[in-house]
Structure formats: structure tokens, C-alpha cells
DNA sequence: GTTTTTGCAAAGCTTTTGCAATCCG
DNA sequence: CGGATTGCAAAAGCTTTGCAAAAAC
């Protein structure tokens, strides 16, 4: 069996997927990878500006959208309608449980949902069925912080 | 002779839930009920204008939001980020399979997903876990219509 | 040198809000 | 009447787009 290379944060490969290798794209992809969770284009842009690696907001959007189109990023929408992007190292399709307080995300075992969705698709006769599953809650840390900070 | 409409959920009750009984609210709720599927506030507003029952766009938004807050409407987001509202006759929480071509929606048995989500919530230690599940595909009718058009 | 990409600002969208006039109860 | 509600228009977000300048190949 072939030995899989460990996907070290190598934005260069990812950038190559979406067009010319530019400094801005590299910076954006790097930041997305290091964000290690869901981030909005706005947040990423703000962070880059703060890190003295300013990249135009449009470029951030264009790069993230291209990445998502290339299948290298997951895209969800938060409660307010903002798009959140997350770097996806592998080709597999995952679902996440996201903390609404701190943004922490952890992958969950979505096997049962995949099966369920497949069944529905079969039974319904619908073709090309895609599914969106989002779980959001308050993570234990934030929960504790809240309990302590907000006595009701 | 044209009598009253068929036994439909009476908007009056729903309107009462969210405040004063006004003509505008009644119109909006009625339209939502008769839409019998997911509609955007914009679409509803446009339709009302076309039906010579003009209601301010803000009022449509306010009414739909209030309905959703009162738990009488389901709220999903389409691919472009637009909010779609659907009247929910009962108090139970449902999930739908929506046709991306014609907008047809049908409820699906979400029991397994509910269980799965509950388990995840338990196991993760997250509090107040909410879930969003959206299934979208091409319904049989639309599929037939496009049978030869989509090579895969 | 040619083509892509960038960045700014302006436009586009849906949704929200401020506020005087209006309506419900 | 008094307070809730409406509607308009303006504002607020996020995201996209047009276009000249800059960068990549």
C-alpha cells in the first residue's frame, strides 16, 4: 500500500489548485489552515490585517470561494447568515459540532446521518441529494464560563 | 356557491400568538400557509403586491420572524443565503427534502437524526445543542425533465 | 509580453432599524 | 385615548463586481 504523505500545512499545493501562485493566496490559505476551524472571510481578513499581512477583502473572498469550489474547504453558514470556511485536508465529507460562543469546532461521527440521508434519497426517488447537517451548542468551557459569569 | 375556504389552519390563531390582530399580519400568515412550502420574505412580499394585498416588506419580515420565534414557522437558508420560511402547523420539529429545481418540499422521517443529534450532544458535553439538517435534491419529476441533460 | 490577480471603491442583496403616521383594543 | 404596528426610506451587514495597476509566468 502506498504510504500517504502526512498533510503538513503546505498551502502551496492548495494554491496551485486554484490558479497562479501568488503571495496573497498563500497567505490566505495559510491562515485558513492555521485557523484550524471555521472562520469567516471577514474574520480572516481582519486577522491578516492585524498580523501585518494585509490582503484585500475581495481577495480573501475570492480565494476562499475558489478553495471551496475546488473542494478543499467546507462551507457552512452561521446563525446570522455569515459564511464560515474551514480547511479540509482530506476528500471526505465531515460534519461538525460548533460552539456558538468561541467557535471551537469538533468533527462528529456522521456515519448514521450519512446512512440516513442515503436511505431518504433512495426512498424518495430524488436524485443528486446533498445534505447539510450542522450541530451547534455551547462547549463545556464556555458553558462553565457562562455559569460563573451570569448568575440568573 | 363559494363558501369559506377548505379547512385550513386559521391564521387568526397564529396572529394572536404574536401580538395584535392586524390585517397585515393576517394577510402575511395566510399567504405563508397557502404557500404550502418554503418561501422567502421577498417572494411573499412580491406575491402579495401582485395580489393587490400590498404589505410593507418590513412588516412581512417582522411577521415571519415573529412567527418563527413563536415556533410556528420553520426557517432554513437556501444556497444563496436567503431565509426561507415555512408554516408549521404542529409544535414538532421537522426536516424536509427540498427539490432544488421546483422548490417542492416533503417532510422526511428525521427520527434517526434526532436520536443521533441527541447522542452527540450527550457525548460531547456541549450544552444547548441545536441542529440544522437540510436535504436537497432533484425530485423525480424534475429529474425526468432533465434526464439527458446532466452527464456525471 | 500576455494573462491573471489584486485592491479599492462602488454596487447588490437580503435584512434591520428609525420614526412619524396609523390602527387596534 | 395609549400603546402597538405599519411603512417608507435609510442604514447595516456580508458578498460580489468593475476596472486600472501590479504581479506572475
Amino acid at each position: 500500500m502506498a504510504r500517504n504523505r502526512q498533510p503538513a500545512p503546505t498551502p502551496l499545493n492548495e494554491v496551485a489548485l486554484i490558479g497562479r501562485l501568488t503571495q496573497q493566496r498563500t497567505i490566505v490559505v495559510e491562515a485558513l489552515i492555521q485557523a484550524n476551524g471555521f472562520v469567516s472571510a471577514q474574520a480572516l481578513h481582519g486577522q491578516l490585517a492585524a498580523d501585518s499581512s494585509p490582503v484585500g477583502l475581495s481577495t480573501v473572498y475570492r480565494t476562499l470561494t475558489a478553495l471551496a469550489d475546488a473542494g478543499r474547504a467546507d462551507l457552512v453558514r452561521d446563525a446570522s447568515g455569515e459564511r464560515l470556511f474551514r480547511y479540509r485536508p482530506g476528500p471526505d465529507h465531515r460534519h461538525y459540532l460548533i460552539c456558538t460562543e468561541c467557535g471551537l469546532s469538533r468533527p462528529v461521527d456522521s456515519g448514521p446521518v450519512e446512512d440516513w440521508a442515503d436511505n431518504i434519497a433512495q426512498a424518495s426517488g430524488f436524485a443528486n441529494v446533498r445534505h447539510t447537517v450542522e450541530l451547534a451548542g455551547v462547549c463545556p468551557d464556555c458553558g462553565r464560563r457562562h455559569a460563573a459569569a451570569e448568575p440568573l
Side-chain angles (χ1 to χ4, degrees), chain A residues 30-112:
Chain A
E30 215 157 42
L32 177 64
I33 291 176
Q34 298 195 344
N36 202 46
F38 286 95
V39 249
S40 68
Q42 305 269 356
L44 219 47
H45 171 253
Q47 181 196 308
L48 290 179
D51 284 5
S52 60
S53 309
V55 173
L57 179 58
S58 345
T59 300
V60 174
Y61 271 109
R62 289 189 271 233
T63 304
L64 291 179
T65 303
L67 264 186
D69 286 348
R72 313 304 313 220
D74 290 314
L75 175 50
V76 303
R77 230 176 261 275
D78 73 5
S80 75
E82 203 175 11
R83 280 180 171 85
L84 304 181
F85 297 83
R86 181 191 192 279
Y87 177 66
R88 178 169 57 191
D92 57 312
H93 159 123
R94 308 223 53 164
H95 295 292
Y96 302 89
L97 171 56
I98 306 179
C99 175
T100 55
E101 300 286 324
C102 66
L104 170 76
S105 76
R106 56 187 286 180
V108 298
D109 168 30
S110 60

Side-chain angles (χ1 to χ4, degrees), chain A residues 110-121:
Chain A
S110 60
V113 184
E114 306 292 340
D115 294 344
W116 169 83
D118 288 347
N119 284 339
I120 298 285

Side-chain angles (χ1 to χ4, degrees), chain A residues 93 117 127-132:
Chain A
H93 159 123
N128 211 358
V129 175
R130 302 189 314 103
H131 61 268
T132 302

Side-chain angles (χ1 to χ4, degrees), chain A residues 16-41:
Chain A
L17 277 180
I18 63 183
R20 288 191 179 169
L21 174 64
T22 68
Q23 198 167 34
Q24 289 90 334
R25 281 181 181 159
T26 307
I27 290 173
V28 171
V29 173
E30 215 157 42
L32 177 64
I33 291 176
Q34 298 195 344
N36 202 46
F38 286 95
V39 249
S40 68

